[in-house]
Amino acid sequence: MFNEEQRPEQPIRLGMIGGGRGSEIGYAHRTSAERDGFFNLVAGAFDLDPERGQAFGTNLGLDPNRCYPNYLTLLAHEAQRPDGIQALIVATPNATHYAISKAALEAGLHVICEKPLTFTVAQAQELQHLASQKQRMFAVMYGYSGYPMLHQAREMIQRGDLGTLRMVHAQFAHGFHSQAVEEHSAGAKWRMNPEVAGPTYVLGDLGTHSFHMLELLTELEVDELCCMRQSFIPTRAPLEDNAHVWLKFKGGAIGTLWASSVNAGSVHQQKIRVVGDKASIEWWDEHPNQLTYAIQGQPVQILDRGMAYLYRDNPAICTRIGGGHAEGFLDAWANLYHRYGVALQALEQHDQSTLSTLWYPDIRAGISGVRLLECCVESAQHHSSWVKFNLNAYQ
Ligand code: NAD
């Protein structure tokens, strides 16, 4: 169970780029970062519009002198302060992740960046190299991976409860963009513009979450994949609003991944199903406190968060309140921010034993997501041909 007594003596001074007024994900970062006392937001460049960003930061209660017009000014001024920021959240649209993260690392900051991490694997690797050189933490905000029941699933797979893995299906297929909503929504519009979103739309926006979940649970390594992608709303071309990916893993297991924003009638439909030769498990983010576990030939079991029968010696199967009370999205995010806080302090204190056992989505997860996108684009461009994933060649 989480316990507020674990609070650090001094919170980490945090800055934020993006996440301004009306943004989709800014609030989730701020409230989750501060939940357990590890982080204290003290500075920001929250908005493309400098005046709106400065007014927003001031309304959050920040010192107006630390609400900056842009990220370069923030980095320059914070570096001059004895109490300057130590870590930076990058919550801007995709095109800016690389440049802002790079500048932050060069300024000696720890970074928590949104997904998809960068446009290319080469850029993501450059960030990895820089983070390692500067000995800074680099986390990628795959927020769903903070849900405890996903870690129960991972633990069950590792302990062999499912037997040998055969098949995985992961999907994130909502219906919010079944019509051309981007005509009236700035937050939707940039997602379909290659200059801002990158080489993909739903694959980067949604598919990277599913892919990370798949890697987290199974630790299967992709050997090759093929991808079919469409723009059902033609004006979204060349970017896709729907994509299906077939995956072949090393060792013989296979998988499918479906990313869509035109799955009309659905809210999120983010699900993962893992099938072994003995049993299967299934998780759905609209009911995140439950995990379905089905052993072949036996009645289906619904496992609930917080219950004594879970593998609770795994600290990631953490829980903030007893079973039966629903935990949700912001709790999952706070779980991750708690881990980032622990990781960051361990790094500062050269505490290798904590670092070697602590799990959080780091830059390797970000790179893997970007590699997925590169492979999918290449496959789709070549009539959905099979493409070698070959991530090791990049690391
Ligand atoms: P949004 O369009 O709703 O908000 C973006 C915010 O960033 C706005 O306030 C905008 O003014 C600001 N901004 C843009 N460029 C900026 C710049 N150069 N400097 C400072 N501020 C700038 O976008 P969003 O939906 O919040 O998405 C932001 C990022 O978060 C994207 O990369 C997206 O993929 C990711 N995201 C992740 C999750 C998740 O679950 N992890 C969920 C939603 C979005």
Side-chain angles (χ1 to χ4, degrees):
M1 181 88 76
F2 267 98
N3 176 341
E4 301 96 305
E5 288 176 84
Q6 294 165 339
R7 293 175 95 83
E9 278 174 28
Q10 285 294 329
I12 297 142
R13 296 183 298 277
L14 185 63
M16 180 173 202
I17 312 296
R21 186 178 296 148
S23 67
E24 187 175 327
I25 211 62
Y27 171 73
H29 278 281
R30 288 187 292 273
T31 189
S32 309
E34 295 201 329
R35 171 90 73 92
D36 293 336
F38 278 92
F39 295 95
N40 183 18
L41 183 71
V42 293
F46 298 102
D47 204 297
L48 255 184
D49 177 329
E51 281 181 21
R52 196 171 51 190
Q54 283 173 308
F56 180 73
T58 308
N59 287 345
L60 293 181
L62 268 57
D63 176 349
N65 294 321
R66 298 178 85 174
C67 300
Y68 299 95
N70 56 58
Y71 78 92
L72 290 173
T73 312
L74 176 144
L75 293 174
H77 283 244
E78 287 295 314
Q80 301 302 317
R81 296 181 65 109
D83 62 348
I85 58 168
Q86 297 159 290
L88 190 71
I89 299 173
V90 182
T92 47
N94 311 349
T96 53
H97 293 174
Y98 165 70
I100 300 175
S101 299
K102 186 175 172 197
L105 288 170
E106 281 168 346
L109 300 177
H110 302 279
V111 177
I112 297 146
C113 184
E114 269 302 345
K115 41 53 60 177
L117 178 55
T118 53
F119 280 12
T120 67
V121 169
Q123 289 172 331
Q125 283 182 304
E126 198 185 327
L127 297 179
Q128 181 185 37
H129 180 67
L130 201 50
S132 146
Q133 197 183 37
K134 298 271 185 181
Q135 297 192 319
R136 300 291 89 176
M137 182 194 75
F138 199 113
V140 178
M141 200 61 215
Y142 287 120
Y144 302 97
S145 63
Y147 277 115
M149 292 310 277
L150 286 176
H151 290 271
Q152 167 71 14
R154 173 179 157 96
E155 188 72 32
M156 289 169 75
I157 290 167
Q158 282 178 358
R159 292 184 189 221
D161 293 355
L162 274 58
T164 302
L165 299 190
R166 288 176 170 167
M167 294 171 286
V168 187
H169 174 68
Q171 64 174 65
F172 196 161
H174 69 69
F176 289 113
H177 298 163
S178 295
Q179 307 300 327
V181 296
E182 60 272 26
E183 289 168 10
H184 312 287
S185 159
K189 193 170 184 173
W190 72 254
R191 286 174 155 79
M192 298 155 202
N193 174 357
E195 284 177 17
V196 188
T200 66
Y201 161 34
V202 289
L203 281 161
D205 204 37
L206 310 170
T208 48
H209 280 299
S210 297
F211 189 63
H212 177 61
M213 204 174 283
L214 184 158
E215 289 193 315
L216 168 71
L217 261 60
T218 68
E219 292 192 349
L220 288 168
E221 277 182 62
V222 179
D223 181 22
E224 52 184 347
L225 63 76
C226 69
C227 170
M228 184 172 65
R229 64 176 188 158
Q230 303 78 26
S231 321
F232 280 110
I233 304 284
T235 48
R236 291 174 182 166
L239 300 194
E240 77 294 339
D241 51 23
N242 187 79
H244 293 265
V245 185
W246 283 11
L247 302 149
K248 286 187 204 164
F249 300 103
K250 291 178 184 166
I254 56 165
T256 47
L257 187 153
W258 177 30
S260 183
S261 67
V262 292
N263 182 20
S266 122
V267 181
H268 246 207
Q269 288 287 328
Q270 184 179 190
K271 292 180 167 176
I272 185 158
R273 178 174 171 79
V274 184
V275 183
D277 61 4
K278 292 200 301 209
S280 60
I281 46 172
E282 202 164 311
W283 182 85
W284 178 10
D285 77 336
E286 293 172 38
H287 299 273
N289 292 273
Q290 285 77 37
L291 180 67
T292 304
Y293 174 41
I295 301 172
Q296 179 57 32
Q298 295 185 22
V300 173
Q301 301 175 47
I302 309 292
L303 310 185
D304 255 291
R305 187 196 54 75
M307 302 302 285
Y309 51 71
L310 302 179
Y311 291 133
R312 293 198 303 181
D313 47 341
N314 177 337
I317 307 172
C318 50
T319 179
R320 290 172 178 273
I321 193 163
H325 303 281
E327 284 187 4
F329 182 78
L330 296 177
D331 302 291
W333 274 54
N335 292 344
L336 284 190
Y337 265 102
H338 189 113
R339 293 173 157 266
Y340 300 157
V342 173
L344 204 153
Q345 290 193 325
L347 201 61
E348 298 267 344
Q349 291 159 7
H350 306 287
D351 174 0
Q352 284 309 324
S353 92
T354 299
L355 286 170
S356 63
T357 52
L358 183 75
W359 176 91
Y360 65 93
D362 62 15
I363 197 156
R364 291 167 301 176
I367 294 174
S368 198
V370 178
R371 180 64 188 148
L372 169 81
L373 305 182
E374 281 189 349
C375 290
C376 285
V377 169
E378 186 184 337
S379 169
Q381 274 172 350
H382 295 91
H383 305 285
S384 305
S385 59
W386 287 95
V387 172
K388 283 277 179 198
F389 196 72
N390 219 7
L391 191 55
N392 289 339
Y394 291 83
Q395 286 182 325

